[in-house]
Amino acid sequence: MKLWSETFRDGGLMPADYAFAEIDPASRVRLAGNRNPHLAWDEVPNGTESLALFCIDPDAPQDASLANRDDQSLSLTAPRGDFYHWSLLDLPPAMRSIAAGEFSSGITPRGKAAGTGLRQGINDYTGWFAGDAAMAGDYYGYDGPCPPWNDERIHHYIFRLYALDVPKLALPERFTGQQAHAALYGHILDEVQLVVAYSLNPELALTLKK
């Protein structure tokens, strides 16, 4: 398969309008446009019954207590793991693109609803905001990058599309990105991905723009 985006180039920089937060010179960060990017694909293999799309940040710190602290930076060697920003399932084989902002545009405190039609899992902001009275809730669908502003590591966001041999994955009504990804096992016909970088650390952000 082939996958491309009009929002960013593979290996490039994610525009701030497609992130959850952006750099603010006065207050470190502010909420951003949070639009899902444009994505398009082709050369879907014969026998495909559905497509599944994920957005994963493999650079997320495992210890959230280290994030966004004035007294220390989050080191390059801090343990990292996957943070799921989006899981979108049951895309019909004939579908060939997703428009920018089609599934997300703006911040929804307490999270977007599950919606109808294509199935979307809860993303990992659900756990991230669990202890925040103003933001806690189930965050369905796409919510964009918001890496810690004290992180010494540039974060990378993988948009990965799978062609599957089943029309629908066996999952409960409420599912996580991790559960959806595990359900792919044994059903993948092909896969393709794009990777884009983003940082809220002002020094790192400058290097990305060069």
Side-chain angles (χ1 to χ4, degrees), residues 1 11-12 30 42 45 61 77 92 99 102 115 127 129-130 144 151 157 197:
M1 291 191 295
R30 62 185 173 224
D42 206 349
T77 58
E102 182 176 349
F129 287 126
D151 204 337
Y157 299 84

Side-chain angles (χ1 to χ4, degrees), residues 31 107-112 134-137 139:
L31 297 179
I107 305 294
T108 304
R110 301 186 180 278
K112 292 184 286 294
M135 296 291 284
Y139 283 72

Side-chain angles (χ1 to χ4, degrees), residues 94-158:
M95 188 173 177
R96 288 294 184 268
S97 67
I98 291 170
E102 182 176 349
F103 289 92
S104 178
S105 184
I107 305 294
T108 304
R110 301 186 180 278
K112 292 184 286 294
T116 58
L118 302 178
R119 286 191 297 168
Q120 299 189 86
I122 57 170
N123 63 54
D124 284 344
Y125 284 111
T126 301
W128 185 266
F129 287 126
D132 185 331
M135 296 291 284
D138 281 347
Y139 283 72
Y140 281 92
Y142 177 83
D143 284 299
C146 187
W149 49 257
N150 66 333
D151 204 337
E152 296 176 4
R153 179 180 294 199
I154 293 170
H155 285 229
H156 299 85
Y157 299 84
I158 302 169

Side-chain angles (χ1 to χ4, degrees), residues 12-26:
L13 174 65
M14 175 73 88
D17 196 36
Y18 298 85
F20 195 91
E22 61 184 331
I23 294 172
D24 186 307

Side-chain angles (χ1 to χ4, degrees), residues 41-207:
W41 54 89
D42 206 349
E43 300 183 12
V44 174
N46 293 333
T48 298
E49 294 290 331
S50 69
L51 298 156
L53 176 68
F54 293 82
C55 176
I56 305 169
D57 171 11
D59 299 309
Q62 292 296 281
D63 186 352
S65 70
L66 301 175
N68 302 321
R69 289 177 55 165
D70 284 309
D71 61 334
Q72 68 180 76
S73 58
L74 211 166
S75 75
L76 286 170
T77 58
R80 308 288 172 152
D82 291 340
F83 188 105
Y84 282 76
H85 286 265
W86 199 10
S87 53
L88 175 63
L89 309 182
D90 304 342
L91 282 73
M95 188 173 177
R96 288 294 184 268
S97 67
I98 291 170
E102 182 176 349
F103 289 92
S104 178
S105 184
I107 305 294
T108 304
R110 301 186 180 278
K112 292 184 286 294
T116 58
L118 302 178
R119 286 191 297 168
Q120 299 189 86
I122 57 170
N123 63 54
D124 284 344
Y125 284 111
T126 301
W128 185 266
F129 287 126
D132 185 331
M135 296 291 284
D138 281 347
Y139 283 72
Y140 281 92
Y142 177 83
D143 284 299
C146 187
W149 49 257
N150 66 333
D151 204 337
E152 296 176 4
R153 179 180 294 199
I154 293 170
H155 285 229
H156 299 85
Y157 299 84
I158 302 169
F159 288 85
R160 186 176 292 143
L161 183 71
Y162 293 92
L164 307 177
D165 65 1
V166 289
K168 189 172 184 177
L169 292 172
L171 288 163
E173 182 177 346
R174 181 187 185 275
F175 61 89
T176 66
Q178 292 88 340
Q179 289 174 319
H181 200 262
L184 300 177
Y185 183 77
H187 298 295
I188 301 170
L189 299 176
D190 199 3
E191 63 185 86
V192 64
Q193 69 179 33
L194 299 174
V195 181
V196 63
Y198 194 72
S199 178
L200 291 175
N201 181 323
E203 294 181 6
L204 293 182
L206 284 175
T207 68

